[in-house]
Amino acid sequence: MKKAISILLALAMVLALAACGVTDTASSAPAASSGGQSAATPAPAAQSGSSDTAPAPADEAPAASAAAASISLWTYPIGGWGDQEQVKVLTDAFTAETGINVTVEYLTYQDGDDKINTAIAAGQAPDLVMEGPERLVAGWGANGKMVNLADLFTVEDMAEINPAVSTACFALAGDEIVAYEFPLVMTAHCMGINVRAFEEAGALQYVDLESHTWTTENFFKAVQALYDYYGDTVAAVFCGGQGGDQGTRALVTNLHGGSFADVMHTSYTWDDPANIQALTELRNQSGIYFDPSIVGGDEIANFYNGIFKMAFCWNIAQQLNPNNAGTGAAKNVNGDDIAFMAFPSEDGTAELQGGIWGFGIFDNGDAARIEAAKKFIVFMADSEHTVDAVRTANYFAVRSSIHGQDISDIWADNEIMQEYNVLMQYLGDYYQVTSGWTQARTSWWNMLQQVGASDGSEEAVTAAVSQYCSEANAAAAG
């Protein structure tokens, strides 16, 4: 999969650079460009086609103002980017340097999508939005609501940004390669284990706490040892809904090297025999319970309270503040140490499901506001100010350098963040941008429920997997 991502990225770069060969990029690059050779030709302001009507002829187009004095940003709660006090420090610095004021609205994941969709329908979408590719690229971008940001990516940027991240921010729009997101931060989702419980059960021998990795064989040995010692549920394959479902997907696909979607993100492949094998083994493993009554947040609570001995829904935010309880980093309610772990795989090198967050611009038809919004993106994600923007998010930078300037020590003052950085090398394909994603998520947890309720035979598991993967692919094709 890593090789496939690299090939896809290389293709994007080749096609983009080919476009540069017939375009005067020096004269057409935006004033806010971060420098260097453009990796793609700039798109016209209305390229993404957000309007339902054809654009006015050039001689009838309204004249844009000389410069936008104010732009709006709507941000989901991405670390400190959901905190007004912290964000104001960043936007004040941007205003001081550019003279452009920024108004900010803070969204929640409960109603943020509805607010933005309502604003789009009313022709009042914000200039900027901060979120991930599943919304910016596969959602609003694919629906023609966003500006192509390919002109912001220089060749140098493409070399410095994590390939898995770059690939997620680009898409094909007809024959054109477009970018609807410029990324800022990332993380890798992982597992958590109760170190004391593992030690008491004799299961600590099955994990490598230095590399935070383990093999599939050792994972099942550890679960069995914990079950033999405690005699109750070790971990739950939660499937009450989509909350935290990145954990169950990563668990299943990594156990035997299965895949979830094709590399071009057009169809779902979780009916891979390797995934059927993994699901069958999980269904029949003592200590693993398929629980249709809980989602990821409930699993975390049970793990934090010492009921479960491992969690499949874990990440750096949880490691820093387990269960959002504020009772100490990397500790559960009993004071037991929590160790983060990559998902188990046959060779111990997992492909971790990632989180990616950055900026996109809604195409409101105002060239000056679009240009001002691009300046904001460059300021926050592609300049000497990026370190501050990353630290505010409390995640990891999508790149280790900015135009040759090393920023790999950005978390040198935080021991947990430094240690967790070992997982970034395992970041895998960001398949959340696959067509039909909304239906795929629903089909996934419904499939897990059916697997859990089955007799655990390979035939029953195969039938469930085939049924729900077909549902997802029907949505992808439709």
Side-chain angles (χ1 to χ4, degrees):
M1 183 61 76
K2 290 183 175 71
K3 181 178 180 181
I5 290 172
S6 299
I7 291 172
L8 182 62
L9 178 61
L11 174 63
M13 292 181 67
V14 167
L15 295 178
L17 288 170
C20 289
V22 295
T23 304
D24 182 1
T25 57
S27 61
S28 61
S33 175
S34 54
Q37 181 185 0
S38 175
T41 54
Q47 179 172 345
S48 60
S50 62
S51 174
D52 291 331
T53 59
D59 58 348
E60 296 178 15
S65 56
S70 179
I71 55 175
S72 56
L73 164 69
W74 289 13
T75 176
Y76 285 79
I78 302 156
W81 278 87
D83 180 79
Q84 181 176 358
E85 184 176 343
Q86 294 184 63
V87 173
K88 188 175 187 304
V89 174
L90 298 172
T91 55
D92 282 353
F94 172 73
T95 300
E97 183 166 308
T98 65
I100 301 169
N101 292 312
V102 184
T103 60
V104 184
E105 179 160 342
Y106 300 90
L107 305 172
T108 69
Y109 282 109
Q110 285 70 37
D111 63 1
D113 292 359
D114 290 339
K115 285 186 175 181
I116 287 183
N117 290 332
T118 299
I120 290 173
Q124 298 176 345
D127 297 301
L128 287 152
V129 60
M130 185 179 189
E131 225 312 77
E134 62 269 38
R135 287 178 171 83
L136 275 59
V137 179
W140 297 307
N143 291 325
K145 305 302 181 184
M146 307 204 76
V147 173
N148 181 7
L149 303 178
D151 59 314
L152 294 187
F153 289 84
T154 66
V155 172
E156 193 172 34
D157 289 330
M158 296 293 276
E160 292 179 339
I161 296 173
N162 183 300
V165 173
S166 297
T167 303
C169 293
F170 281 80
L172 281 173
D175 295 330
E176 183 183 15
I177 294 173
V178 296
Y180 293 127
E181 177 163 348
F182 198 98
L184 175 67
V185 291
M186 64 182 183
T187 192
H189 299 296
C190 65
M191 292 181 58
I193 66 170
N194 183 317
V195 176
R196 180 193 60 79
F198 268 63
E199 188 171 24
E200 288 184 350
L204 209 54
Q205 62 181 306
Y206 300 121
V207 303
D208 185 335
L209 290 181
E210 183 174 349
S211 67
H212 295 272
T213 61
W214 47 355
T215 64
T216 298
E217 180 181 4
N218 282 338
F219 165 75
F220 282 113
K221 285 182 177 179
V223 173
Q224 188 64 51
L226 288 158
Y227 180 74
D228 290 343
Y229 186 84
Y230 290 101
D232 55 14
T233 301
V234 174
V237 177
F238 48 88
C239 46
Q242 69 182 32
D245 56 358
Q246 72 278 352
T248 56
R249 294 192 304 269
L251 173 66
V252 171
T253 56
N254 273 292
L255 282 174
H256 293 293
S259 64
F260 190 81
D262 73 307
V263 70
M264 295 302 293
H265 300 139
T266 59
S267 64
Y268 295 94
T269 58
W270 82 65
D271 54 355
D272 184 333
N275 293 336
I276 293 173
Q277 179 185 356
L279 282 163
T280 303
E281 291 174 352
L282 287 168
R283 167 62 181 78
N284 294 309
Q285 173 61 53
S286 299
I288 299 288
Y289 178 57
F290 281 66
D291 194 336
S293 70
I294 65 173
V295 295
D298 305 310
E299 183 227 35
I300 290 171
N302 279 307
F303 174 63
Y304 175 75
N305 285 302
I307 299 170
F308 296 163
K309 306 306 184 279
M310 61 178 73
F312 303 131
C313 184
W314 206 250
N315 55 39
I316 185 59
Q318 289 296 337
Q319 190 71 10
L320 291 168
N321 186 12
N323 204 39
N324 294 314
T327 52
K331 300 283 187 182
N332 75 358
V333 69
N334 301 315
D336 300 335
D337 289 335
I338 296 171
F340 62 86
M341 294 293 299
F343 285 90
S345 62
E346 290 182 336
D347 64 358
T349 58
E351 284 204 2
L352 300 183
Q353 179 61 55
I356 300 170
W357 297 278
F359 302 99
I361 300 174
F362 282 106
D363 188 353
N364 291 318
D366 188 321
R369 284 165 56 193
I370 290 172
E371 186 65 19
K374 287 183 177 181
K375 289 182 178 180
F376 180 90
I377 291 175
V378 170
F379 183 95
M380 296 297 174
D382 202 13
S383 75
E384 66 273 18
H385 304 284
T386 299
V387 169
D388 294 331
V390 169
R391 290 184 67 90
T392 296
N394 214 28
Y395 284 113
F396 301 92
V398 298
R399 55 207 294 174
S400 59
S401 62
I402 298 179
H403 309 301
Q405 183 66 40
D406 181 27
I407 62 169
S408 61
D409 63 348
I410 189 169
W411 291 114
D413 61 343
N414 188 311
E415 184 178 351
I416 292 178
M417 294 289 284
Q418 274 289 89
E419 184 181 10
Y420 197 94
N421 198 46
V422 70
L423 295 185
M424 294 303 113
Q425 63 184 305
Y426 301 122
L427 195 65
D429 181 32
Y430 198 82
Y431 51 69
Q432 295 100 307
V433 295
T434 305
S435 303
W437 176 241
T438 299
Q439 179 59 51
R441 296 188 77 182
T442 300
S443 295
W444 177 258
W445 58 264
N446 281 330
M447 178 200 70
L448 293 179
Q449 288 189 4
Q450 186 163 320
V451 169
S454 75
D455 62 7
S457 67
E458 184 177 339
E459 292 76 15
V461 173
T462 300
V465 172
S466 298
Q467 174 186 344
Y468 289 104
C469 189
S470 295
E471 278 186 3
N473 278 320

